[in-house]
Amino acid sequence: MTAPKTDRRWTDALARIVLGRPWTVVALSLITAIIAGAYGFLRLPLDANTDSLISRNRPWMGLYLGFLQEFGDLEYLYAVVDTKGDRAAGERAADALLARLKTMPDLPGVYGRVESDEALRIATRAMSIDELTALSEAASAIPALTTPESALGVASAAIQQATRFGATGAGERERLGAEAFFLLDVIAGADDILAGRPASGLAAMPPPEYLASDTGRLLFIAILPRKDFGTLAAIEGPLAEIRAAIDATRSEFPTVEIGLTGKPVLQADELITSTGDTTRSFAASLLLVALLCVIIYRDWRRPLLALIAFAVAIGWTHGAAALLVGRLTLLSMVFMLVLIGAGLDYGIHVVSRYLEFRREVDIRESVRRTMHTTAVGTLTGAATSAIVFVLAILSDFQGLRELGIIAGAGLVLCALAMVTTLPALLILFDRPGQPAQPRSIPIPGVSIGVNRRRARWAFAILATITVAAIAITPFRLRFESNLLKLQAQDLESVHWEHRVLEDSASLSWFAAVIAPDESSALAAIERAKREPEIGFIRSVFDVIQPATPERDELRARFASRVAAPLGQHSEAITPQALERAASSVRFALSLAVGRASDEERSRMTSIADRLTALAGHLRQAPDIATKAITTAVEQARIAAGHIMAGDAASLREALPAAIRARSMSPNGKYLVSLVPKADTWELEPLQRFVEAIRRVDPNATGVPITQSESIADMTRAFNLISLWSVLAVAVITWLDFRRLSAVFLCVGILGSGIAITVGLLALFDVPLSLANFFGVPILIGLGIDSNIHLLHRADENRAGNDPGFDDLAIDFGGTRSAVIFTSLTTAIGFGGQIFASHRGMQGLGWIMTIGSLVCLATSMWLLPAVLRLLREPKADRPRQGVAH
């Protein structure tokens, strides 16, 4: 084998440095790698917040961040209790689970029902005008609910005054009567208690209202965990505790079913499964690639040296990531998968060429020749791969930008380590003597020296396959935008999300309309009612009535009368006193004939009858009856206290905790939540829903909008990066070879490989998705690498041949094996994802495995065939042997 004659002065200068100071090169590499790795460890935090994947300068993202700042974190987990038709058992299970969850310190918010006292606090804002009128009329009697004796005494005095003709005006008599009946109704509630009936009047505490689906079958517990975005899943610790509580409750209530879902838990489960898959794939791929290196090269020393150089590049990459980006996100953290899939390839090319030269010359000369011939192709290949990632900075999606910068820098640093650190390691630690030559890889290729007929057949077959692939792609290739379908099939959170969707509406999706005041909120609700894509509208007006001048006046009257009690009277609770009170009520009823409504007469009759019955209970069982009377008055006093406290508080303070944060901000702004009617995990319903949202309010925000816009940004990024990648690799190829024929050849062969890959994906129904679509631009960057190395070898052999040799006397030698091996390592590096449980990562594994092998086939068969067809043989000139 003759030494290459091409003039590459910079590679020779680099070789002189490595040959002259190998220990210095290795020492500097290791020291800088340790420093960079330590810097990355200390200054490269993980940011697991999915919002960090989106650029802050996107207008719709600005609206969403403003919403988060105004209302805080409203992304709840939801424990779901399926009552299976037994509501009582479901409520008991929900109560038991609530009790367990509320003991956990990492759950600052746990809401499963609106408690009785919370319902009373909004009473003056929630009750009807008639109910509020009656309450305000009786408000002066509320201070008398200190003891039963006080209540009876004030009531008796009031009813006597109200029924004394001429003593007061009609309005005053009605007010006194209302206050008296209010107090007597409370005392009569003791008869309800003794009879086991639901209490009436103010003593009737409203029952807790559970958070439930519209059908009533599913009960929900909203859980707001403490989130640590410095950890991978952000809620992994609280999530484990919540699931343990659910398991304990399941065993206690076997007749109901309990599950967990919601956007945070769906994301956490996705990250846990996908990261576990990626970690196992990374470890297995690295081990398998190392094992293959040992088998192929029949030696463990040189593969180990390549791994050491790779480790140096990893350290450099961590430091570069800390300097250039400053954090790792859920997307950029997969850069290691990219490097194991592509970064080691550069070392394989160096070692393969080095061993080829070792057949004839010693270690140092082999290193010099390797650097002279391989450095350019290696760095060019790295540049084409890196530029694909770096082009992501042109996209609007921040997560892709950061991944592009880190992965692009990592690939260049891997190539740099393989053309500096690895040669120095080979000089220092490779054994002298004739090395064992690499095993040949039994994958047939097309030799340039074959006859033109075989070359035509190879070209015709691959061209036909390419055309067929292009033809089938538009009809069969799918894009899967439903993120739920990309999750692992057996995830509990996915299962329960589907169950909630089947019963009512998704818990993970709502759009937010922020209204500065009540009138704006009500106007938005009216507009939303006209949109068929909106299934449910949730707001503070689900639990209260809109404010009106009449309601405001009645609330003011209620507050003023509570502050002006009737006076202090007391009367002992005896059977005779109760019977006198009953008689007074019946007398008042007789006076009200023709003026009182049927409902009022019925209420007065009920009060008189229950007081009479209570007098009988008091004679028969005085202790029990007295206790019941005390309980009734105490319950009424407590209820009145809640009503007064809520009425005096601001609206937000008065709202039940379960809906407060989701209804009003601390600054008093109103939140109108719009829930989709259709399954907006699917793209088309999501887009229709977003259009409807923006008709309601152009400044609306929420997860549906960020999701829709992010999908649009990523789709645009895919198209943009793919187109620019082709142009970029073409420019880099031209800068390397400085002739258009090389550009058309390398890019054309690559185009055939990509077209066949996409056609096979369509044929085998492997959809593109948000989790795997970036595999296509990666293939563009990696796929051309093989073409560049093979064409460099072809040019090198032509330059090294005697003028008497024709252009056909070319053999790819060890480069052919290196190209095959690197394609296999790429397929192995990414192919482990095929076995992932996360279906999106499965798709990435299939794309990269199929693509790597297809691009290998086009490089090994189509490239030589085209070269053979483009080069005419010289007439009858003898050929000399060339290196193999």
Side-chain angles (χ1 to χ4, degrees), residues 335-389:
F335 77 93
M336 284 296 293
L337 184 63
V338 175
L339 298 188
I340 190 65
L344 276 172
D345 293 355
Y346 309 131
I348 291 171
H349 280 290
V350 170
V351 171
S352 295
R353 200 64 200 278
Y354 166 79
L355 289 175
E356 199 173 353
F357 285 123
R358 282 295 312 277
R359 296 176 185 174
E360 299 181 357
V361 296
D362 63 11
I363 292 175
R364 296 179 65 85
E365 179 61 17
S366 296
V367 168
R368 188 190 69 79
R369 293 187 182 186
T370 298
M371 294 186 65
H372 181 87
T373 58
T374 309
V376 172
T378 298
L379 292 174
T380 301
T384 56
S385 300
I387 196 66
V388 170
F389 286 96

Side-chain angles (χ1 to χ4, degrees), residues 406-712:
I406 296 174
L411 289 173
V412 171
L413 292 172
C414 280
L416 184 61
M418 296 309 175
V419 298
T420 56
T421 308
L422 179 56
L425 289 169
L426 288 171
I427 292 171
L428 295 173
F429 298 106
D430 194 19
R431 292 174 297 184
Q434 185 68 26
Q437 290 304 304
R439 301 176 190 271
S440 60
I441 301 176
I443 297 180
V446 177
S447 170
I448 291 295
V450 302
N451 60 60
R452 290 172 61 82
R453 181 173 176 272
R454 291 180 61 187
R456 287 193 195 100
W457 272 108
F459 178 81
I461 292 172
L462 286 169
T464 301
I465 294 173
T466 302
V467 172
I470 294 173
I472 196 177
T473 296
F475 303 100
R476 294 288 300 272
L477 186 65
R478 294 189 298 114
F479 184 85
E480 183 57 78
S481 61
N482 188 328
L483 298 180
L484 208 58
K485 292 182 179 178
L486 301 181
Q487 297 266 33
Q489 297 182 20
D490 57 349
L491 283 181
E492 180 195 41
S493 55
V494 174
H495 168 73
W496 278 95
E497 179 71 10
H498 283 300
R499 288 181 68 164
V500 173
L501 281 170
E502 291 167 2
D503 183 79
S504 51
S506 173
L507 296 172
S508 303
W509 301 89
F510 72 90
V513 175
I514 303 174
D517 50 45
E518 182 178 292
S519 61
S520 300
L522 292 171
I525 291 171
E526 289 304 313
R527 292 194 298 273
K529 289 178 180 178
R530 297 193 291 267
E531 295 293 342
E533 297 297 329
I534 297 175
F536 304 100
I537 304 167
R538 293 173 180 156
S539 72
V540 69
F541 302 107
D542 294 338
V543 295
I544 68 166
Q545 300 291 329
T548 63
E550 183 181 12
R551 181 175 294 276
D552 292 342
E553 181 183 352
L554 288 172
R555 288 183 58 211
R557 186 188 305 171
F558 169 77
S560 64
R561 288 185 173 175
V562 166
L566 287 173
Q568 294 185 353
H569 302 276
S570 181
E571 184 174 355
I573 303 294
T574 63
Q576 295 80 7
L578 294 178
E579 288 170 343
R580 284 195 301 272
S583 298
S584 297
V585 173
R586 292 189 176 97
F587 178 66
L589 178 60
S590 66
L591 296 177
V593 172
R595 293 182 313 203
S597 66
D598 292 342
E599 183 179 352
E600 289 172 334
R601 289 197 302 272
S602 176
R603 177 175 175 240
M604 293 169 70
T605 301
S606 172
I607 292 173
D609 292 344
R610 285 182 293 142
L611 287 173
T612 301
L614 186 58
H617 289 303
L618 198 58
R619 288 190 175 94
Q620 295 173 2
D623 292 341
I624 296 174
T626 300
K627 183 177 180 181
I629 294 170
T630 302
T631 299
V633 173
E634 178 65 13
Q635 287 178 348
R637 185 188 65 79
I638 293 172
H642 291 311
I643 292 173
M644 290 187 293
D647 185 73
S650 67
L651 173 57
R652 188 175 192 276
E653 292 173 346
L655 288 173
I659 63 173
R660 182 182 301 134
R662 294 183 291 169
S663 302
M664 291 192 74
S665 74
N667 296 323
K669 292 186 178 180
Y670 291 75
L671 176 61
V672 178
S673 299
L674 308 179
V675 181
K677 189 173 187 177
D679 179 6
T680 45
W681 286 101
E682 298 289 346
L683 183 58
E684 289 187 8
L686 174 61
Q687 291 173 335
R688 293 195 303 270
F689 179 55
V690 169
E691 291 171 359
I693 292 167
R694 285 175 166 159
R695 285 193 294 270
V696 173
D697 183 356
N699 293 320
T701 185
V703 171
I705 291 178
T706 61
Q707 184 82 353
S708 175
E709 293 288 355
S710 295
I711 291 173

Side-chain angles (χ1 to χ4, degrees), residues 156-175:
S156 297
I159 200 169
Q160 289 173 13
Q161 187 175 357
T163 55
R164 189 179 302 133
F165 288 102
T168 58
E172 182 67 9
R173 285 199 302 272
E174 289 182 4
R175 183 180 69 82

Side-chain angles (χ1 to χ4, degrees), residues 11 48 122 168 174 246 260 298 305 324 366 394 540 555 573 583 715 727 734 739 768-769:
T11 58
I122 58 172
T168 58
E174 289 182 4
I246 288 175
L260 189 66
R298 308 187 191 205
L305 296 179
L324 297 174
S366 296
L394 300 177
V540 69
R555 288 183 58 211
I573 303 294
S583 298
T715 304
L727 179 61
W734 183 83
R739 65 178 190 273
L768 293 177
S769 70

Side-chain angles (χ1 to χ4, degrees), residues 13 83 137 139 142 159 166 185-186 188 223 230 316 320 325 387 466 668 673 689-691 783 808 823 838:
T83 64
E137 289 295 328
I142 288 177
I159 200 169
D185 193 13
V186 169
I223 307 167
W316 290 347
V325 177
I387 196 66
T466 302
S673 299
F689 179 55
V690 169
E691 291 171 359
L808 297 177
S823 296
H838 187 275

Side-chain angles (χ1 to χ4, degrees), residues 184 272 709 844:
L184 293 176
I272 292 170
E709 293 288 355
L844 178 62

